[in-house]
Amino acid sequence: MSRTAKIERTTKESSVLVEVDLDGSGRSEVSTGVGFYDHMLDAFARHSLVDLVVTTTGDTHIDAHHSVEDTAIVLGQALRQALGAKTGIRRFGDATVPLDEALVQAVVDVSGRPYCVHTGEPEGQQYVAIGGTGAPYMGSLTRHVFETISFHAHLALHVRVLGGRDPHHVVEAQFKAFARAFRDAVAIDPRETGVPSTKGSL
């Protein structure tokens, strides 16, 4: 059974292509015009073991918002399509991930019911601009990305920042925790299918 998807979406603000393979090895080719977001999506692919291709062109001369949001929309749609009927998956995933001083817990339920709870970021995180190349990534985008992916992938997602000081670490630990929880949730459960799991457990 192939768990892959390819989706393209074009609006007046952006053009987005996303390809996913849920049974990949974590390879990624990502270009969004927002350097820090590329880094986060690379981390998602590596830690979820999802092979990921993302090509986004957008109005980054204005700011990063549309490119980040629209990429999250298409990524969520691609994940949902690749999951198909979701037969035989573990469904639930839970991961707690440290990154130096930052600590984040993410819990995923591939429920078919979109819901996102995002809590615990340090005060002022939403106003921080992060990035070297391309348009800067504003800290306020992180919650929006997870809400958007959750809605379009039909996931219940809880992300709790348990600690953190450095804005880069706070965001990166969230993406890695989500990736690890997602990886476990979409793994094939041999108890349901009699087939060995295609994903590593946490």
Side-chain angles (χ1 to χ4, degrees):
M1 178 183 66
S2 174
R3 299 197 298 170
T4 61
K6 177 180 179 180
I7 295 183
E8 297 181 68
R9 179 179 185 268
T10 299
T11 68
K12 65 180 181 180
E13 289 94 10
S14 70
S15 177
V16 182
L17 164 68
V18 172
E19 298 179 50
V20 298
D21 181 351
L22 300 188
D23 300 308
S25 59
R27 294 183 295 106
S28 63
E29 298 176 26
V30 178
S31 176
T32 66
V34 183
F36 183 74
Y37 194 37
D38 292 355
H39 180 44
M40 294 302 97
L41 294 176
D42 284 335
F44 169 75
R46 185 168 62 256
H47 286 273
S48 66
L49 298 182
V50 171
D51 287 349
L52 177 65
V53 174
V54 176
T55 305
T56 299
T57 56
D59 55 0
T60 52
H61 62 286
I62 297 174
D63 67 10
H65 185 96
H66 291 141
S67 293
V68 170
E69 176 183 49
D70 293 350
T71 299
I73 289 171
V74 182
L75 176 56
Q77 292 172 343
L79 294 175
R80 180 185 175 197
Q81 181 175 307
L83 280 163
K86 300 174 284 189
T87 305
I89 63 170
R90 293 178 180 173
R91 178 176 164 177
F92 300 103
D94 182 350
T96 303
V97 171
L99 179 56
D100 296 348
E101 88 297 341
L103 183 66
V104 174
Q105 180 190 34
V107 182
V108 171
D109 177 9
V110 186
S111 61
R113 298 185 304 276
Y115 205 94
C116 182
V117 177
H118 182 275
T119 60
E121 286 189 333
E123 184 58 39
Q125 175 75 15
Q126 66 269 38
Y127 305 118
V128 175
I130 310 171
T133 62
Y137 175 100
M138 298 303 298
S140 59
L141 289 169
T142 305
R143 175 181 292 180
H144 190 42
V145 167
F146 289 129
E147 289 174 338
T148 302
I149 292 174
S150 174
F151 180 82
H152 288 278
H154 286 192
L155 306 174
L157 171 62
H158 290 247
V159 178
R160 294 195 304 155
V161 179
L162 304 175
R165 180 183 64 254
D166 181 272
H168 183 137
H169 292 170
V170 168
V171 179
E172 186 169 347
Q174 291 180 68
F175 274 86
K176 289 179 175 178
F178 168 57
R180 289 277 176 156
F182 182 82
R183 165 181 166 177
D184 212 31
V186 304
I188 301 300
D189 189 341
R191 296 171 299 178
E192 300 290 334
T193 63
V195 177
S197 173
T198 60
K199 290 277 185 178
S201 60
L202 297 181

